[in-house]
Amino acid sequence: KAKKAALSKAGASYNIALQDADQGVVTRFPPEPSGYLHIGHAKAALLNDYFAHDLYKGTLLLRFDDTNPSKEKQEFEDSIIEDLALMGIKPDRTSYTSDYLQVLYEHTIRLITEGHAYADDTEQEKMRDERWKGIASERRERTVEENLRIFEEMKVASEEGQKNCIRAKMSVDNPNKAMRDPVIYRCNLLPHHRTGTTWKMYPTYDLAVPIVDALEGVTHALRTTEYADRNDQYQWFIDILGLRQVHIWDFARMNFIRTFLSKRKLTKLIDTGKVWGWDDPRMPTIRGVRRRGMTIPALRDFILKQGPSRNIVNMDWTNFWATNKKVIDAVAPRFTAIDKENTVRATIIGGPDKPYTEEKPKHNKNPEVGTKKVTFSSELILEQADVKLMKEGEEITLMAWGNAIVRKIVGSDPITSVELELHLEGDVKKTEKKVTWASFEGQTLIPVELVDFDYLITKDKLEEDDEMEKFLTPVTEFRSAALCDQNVQDLKVDDIIQFERKGYYRVDKAYKDGEPAVLFNIPTGKEAKK
Ligand code: ATP
Ligand code: MG
Ligand code: MG
């Protein structure tokens, strides 16, 4: 239901159509299994899903773009499948570029045989320089026989083979540098996570994508705009090889302030111990933002609202979390937490002789959230910060109980105890101070650890070549202890709740055998920028 709601909202504002959609729509999401999906990937996946399944009655393919054994792992593949399912995305078919290695090899033989590709052993630096200046490689005019022979050497990764790569013979000096004889095959001796050591050379992305798109019947290939320079070479391969035409459809990358969305950089954060792993709540991965308390309906809603605009925007996290707050505020049960290091004992004059417990709603405005136990007694704990502001003789409100008059404050900095006289006839609308409290008697207070996080990165707008190390926030994790009402002992991992006057939290570890529960603060978008 949440999915449909998010989509209809987004769909209404898109007002776009794909070219030739009447002839069928097949889209594909082509992740490389070299890391966990981040929220940028989520945009690509959701857009492909939107076109294939919501705007048209089409087909969505999931294709693992797995032709670089240096970076790819089964663990990543599994996590991608799980995360797509979590987002409600159901691909109609799943495939692997590595299933096409034989086919891609044969297409390359054809390119070579027809004079459209050549083997080149120009050393890397020199090749880069020649491409930049528009100078032809000395190897450009090798004969077809020579090129075929070397391609076979590459196949077995002989010494000569390993020195060479295959380049498409497109152009030496095209103003579009992507057209300057791009590399389409190179050796890699590392075992591949699916094909083992069967292959010792692999096609590049530039060659594999157009061929596999065409062969799999993709009608519309969605690509981020930074690939626009490569659209011509994509078309070149389709035309030269006489493959089925594919519409390329560009959309904008999604970037966020103070955030790297690059698997390479995220991997580095993990490898250097800056975060706990791919699902660290500070990571911009789908798992990371979920663990921080983002909900899937809000994630979908947020991303689909960006729509397929072609302007690259540096998104602010404020809107991201504000979208989530709307979702969780309506359903998050309310509980009480008292800062453990700064409690003040309060005695209630005229309070109950014996503790008693009542069932109260968990959410003031939403009875469907259920009820919880609230224990009343004459021995409470309050927070130092609240009591510090009180004056003797003042009328205050004990939240969800009623008014009381401050009779006596004992000690200062820290205040050691306070006496309050219950005054339930008082008007709660007239008091200035609403005070959080928990009964010290008649219930077992539950210890919890509250964790808040800061951005990993100190710089708002990062450039592509900014070195991550220079912009790392020194401390990004803040822990404090609290004592909570008895209901908190029943919370389970992943529950999202609100502590009155403190904020929203997601349970990362449940309370068990006296071991504190661990809860992560969920941003609401309202936080002052740190
Ligand atoms: P990374 O730089 O994180 O490795 P990538 O583009 O190399 O990203 P792929 O696994 O190849 O990672 O990406 C799969 C799909 O997700 C591609 O279609 C890619 O264009 C898209 N994508 C990646 N990052 C973003 C982003 N920030 N915003 C929108 N789409 C993105
Ligand atoms: Mg990629
Ligand atoms: Mg990238």
Side-chain angles (χ1 to χ4, degrees), residues 197-260:
T197 52
T198 310
W199 292 92
K200 295 173 181 65
M201 61 174 183
Y202 293 87
T204 60
Y205 175 89
D206 292 342
L207 176 76
V209 172
I211 295 177
V212 179
D213 278 351
L215 294 178
E216 289 193 329
V218 170
T219 58
H220 297 81
L222 274 58
R223 307 219 285 187
T224 46
T225 50
E226 74 264 26
Y227 282 94
D229 280 355
R230 281 143 111 170
N231 291 352
D232 289 348
Q233 45 153 279
Y234 185 107
Q235 195 58 45
W236 186 92
F237 287 114
I238 298 275
D239 293 341
I240 287 276
L241 290 164
L243 297 168
R244 237 195 59 265
Q245 294 296 323
V246 181
H247 293 293
I248 296 182
W249 199 90
D250 300 307
F251 69 97
R253 262 184 86 81
M254 188 165 71
N255 294 330
F256 276 84
I257 64 154
R258 300 198 187 195
T259 306
F260 283 115

Side-chain angles (χ1 to χ4, degrees), residues 95-233:
S95 66
Y96 300 82
T97 305
S98 61
D99 286 343
Y100 294 88
L101 289 172
Q102 178 65 27
V103 175
L104 289 158
Y105 164 74
E106 285 161 14
H107 278 80
T108 305
I109 298 266
R110 246 186 76 199
L111 286 173
I112 295 173
T113 309
E114 291 169 12
H116 299 306
Y118 60 96
D120 196 347
D121 62 355
T122 307
E123 172 267 324
Q124 213 181 351
E125 281 298 309
K126 189 175 173 206
M127 190 187 294
R128 194 175 299 148
D129 188 57
E130 285 176 352
R131 286 192 75 195
W132 180 255
K133 293 179 178 150
I135 299 168
S137 161
E138 283 165 31
R139 304 303 196 196
R140 199 166 197 264
E141 300 308 327
R142 275 173 161 171
T143 62
V144 168
E145 290 67 35
E146 175 82 342
N147 288 324
L148 285 174
R149 183 187 66 76
I150 297 173
F151 194 38
E152 290 311 305
E153 294 295 323
M154 285 175 65
K155 195 171 180 229
V156 296
S158 69
E159 203 178 320
E160 184 188 18
Q162 287 186 57
K163 279 196 199 119
N164 278 273
C165 65
I166 303 293
R167 296 175 69 181
K169 206 167 176 180
M170 287 184 194
S171 166
V172 171
D173 55 4
N174 192 308
N176 176 356
K177 294 196 176 69
M179 294 296 285
R180 294 183 185 176
D181 292 2
V183 173
I184 59 172
Y185 249 96
R186 56 166 69 91
C187 285
N188 189 332
L189 291 179
L190 288 175
H192 186 276
H193 75 283
R194 294 185 76 242
T195 59
T197 52
T198 310
W199 292 92
K200 295 173 181 65
M201 61 174 183
Y202 293 87
T204 60
Y205 175 89
D206 292 342
L207 176 76
V209 172
I211 295 177
V212 179
D213 278 351
L215 294 178
E216 289 193 329
V218 170
T219 58
H220 297 81
L222 274 58
R223 307 219 285 187
T224 46
T225 50
E226 74 264 26
Y227 282 94
D229 280 355
R230 281 143 111 170
N231 291 352
D232 289 348
Q233 45 153 279

Side-chain angles (χ1 to χ4, degrees), residues 35 214 288 316 350 357 426 460 480:
D316 195 313
T357 299
D460 268 6
S480 62

Side-chain angles (χ1 to χ4, degrees), residues 9 295 298 301 305 319-332 504 523-524:
K9 221 183 293 168
T295 59
D301 192 21
K305 259 195 234 149
N319 297 335
F320 183 85
W321 291 114
T323 306
N324 192 46
K325 191 202 154 184
K326 274 189 220 140
V327 173
I328 62 179
D329 182 63
V331 292
Y504 299 91
T524 58

